Amino acid sequence: MRQAGRYLPEYRALRQRYGFLELARNPEAAAEATLQPVERLGVDGAILFADILLIAEPLGVGLEFPRGEGPVIARPVRTDADVVRLKPVDVAAAVPFVFEAARRVVRALGGRVPLIGFAGAPFTVASYLVEGGASRDYLHTKRLMYEEPEAWHRLLGLLADATAAYLNGQIDAGAALVQLFDSWVGTLSPTDYRAYVLPHVRRVIQALRPGVPVIHFGTGTAALLGLMREAGGHVIGLDWRVDLDAAWAALGHDVAVQGNLDPAVLLARPAYIRRRVQDVLDRAGGRPGHIFNLGHGVHPETPVDHVRALVDFVHELSARR
Ligand code: CP3
């Protein structure tokens, strides 16, 4: 889940002082944003404050986060000619601030909780590059994929290499584990996932430093879970549209899972949140290899006390088993 963000008053205060990209590029401020949820909520992991699109910016596509909106790409990548024009990314030179923020966070944490690094998976990052922003139907993305498959695979191959270097840089800076976000891949059928996405995800995961746990997450992935497992990852991240017990049984209990409370449950009162935490834990059945999490990020409307209560409930109820 995204745990930093606008539901936190201290994050909103930081955002009064910095634009989103300005904040992400300032290691001191980004480290502060990373530590805020750890201090306020008592979560068991710190998630590096960064964004999946920071690695896309050096391609020269013109990334912005206009106030109150999601990301916007000024020059979308729609054709083979657009793909050819992309600048190669020298990751160490392009995003040194991300690695510096990670080093600062690890120092400040002093081993209290691990730092989780992350990146977007090639499909999800490509969807922003091609659409120019958020999308519902991914029509430009699918047109490129179906109509110019060579350009598509060149784009995803380029993103896969940059993503692996980006994640390895975070690991070298002290991240204890990493999460790969394929947030929007649920728009694809299993057959298209296998043909157009799976090889590139596998390439990212196989290029990562050995021994570092990898969480592989997407939303709307009920029909894709087996293929996501095949692509790789020690942990498969589940969104809330699946029942955790059924999804885990289908994946096989020899892979770990993360999830999967509906973030909208946090809008209800704490007594109800507690019941729903119990339900997720019951479905995990006390097996090793379950990481409790939301099925996606915290909505900005969420009362911060409810998120705190969630963390306390997870600690209380999972200790009882
Ligand atoms: O502690 C954390 O969890 C923060 C780190 C984090 C951010 N982005 C910071 C951020 C993480 C893990 C991400 C990942 C990310 N970014 C994803 C994959 C995860 C997911 O939720 O599916 C995606 C798709 C993006 C792209 C992106 N960045 C979008 C769609 C948006 C707008 C969302 C919104 O709420 O408006 C962002 C901006 C963004 N990235 C915010 C944060 C805290 C909110 C922006 C703000 O401060 O105004």
Side-chain angles (χ1 to χ4, degrees), residues 1-6 11 15 18-20 23 33-34 37 46-53 65-71 118-120 124 128 134 179 181-184 217 219 296-298 300:
M1 73 184 209
R2 277 211 312 246
Q3 63 188 18
R6 283 163 294 179
Y11 176 79
R15 287 280 279 107
Y18 304 98
F20 178 74
L23 177 52
T34 305
I47 302 172
L48 183 62
F49 184 84
D51 197 82
I52 64 166
L53 295 174
F65 285 86
R67 205 155 254 297
E69 285 174 54
F118 73 92
T124 290
Y128 284 101
Q179 176 156 344
F181 283 96
D182 217 346
S183 302
W184 313 135
F217 168 81
T219 73
H296 207 177
V298 183

Side-chain angles (χ1 to χ4, degrees), residues 46-48 115-119 167 170-171 174-181 215:
I47 302 172
L48 183 62
L115 174 66
I116 306 172
F118 73 92
L167 287 173
Q170 295 176 41
I171 293 166
L177 66 159
V178 293
Q179 176 156 344
L180 195 57
F181 283 96
I215 304 165

Side-chain angles (χ1 to χ4, degrees), residues 87-212:
K87 297 194 206 135
V89 184
D90 174 351
V91 171
V95 291
F97 44 84
V98 172
F99 308 135
E100 176 55 24
R103 281 190 291 270
R104 282 173 187 247
V105 170
V106 171
R107 229 179 292 137
L109 286 171
R112 270 185 296 158
V113 297
L115 174 66
I116 306 172
F118 73 92
F123 175 85
T124 290
V125 174
S127 80
Y128 284 101
L129 293 178
V130 179
E131 301 295 332
S135 177
R136 204 172 59 180
D137 297 320
Y138 301 94
L139 294 181
H140 294 293
T141 308
K142 291 182 181 182
R143 192 209 62 84
L144 183 68
M145 202 165 87
Y146 299 140
E147 187 70 10
E148 302 190 66
E150 277 180 30
W152 172 260
H153 286 295
R154 185 163 339 122
L155 174 61
L156 264 71
L158 184 155
L159 292 175
D161 290 344
T163 301
Y166 184 47
L167 287 173
N168 280 332
Q170 295 176 41
I171 293 166
D172 294 344
L177 66 159
V178 293
Q179 176 156 344
L180 195 57
F181 283 96
D182 217 346
S183 302
W184 313 135
V185 78
T187 189
L188 297 180
S189 70
T191 301
D192 285 348
Y193 180 89
R194 183 184 283 290
Y196 297 105
V197 174
L198 189 152
H200 302 288
V201 175
R202 179 178 280 153
R203 177 149 139 203
V204 174
I205 293 174
Q206 287 187 345
L208 299 180
R209 305 272 182 259
V212 176

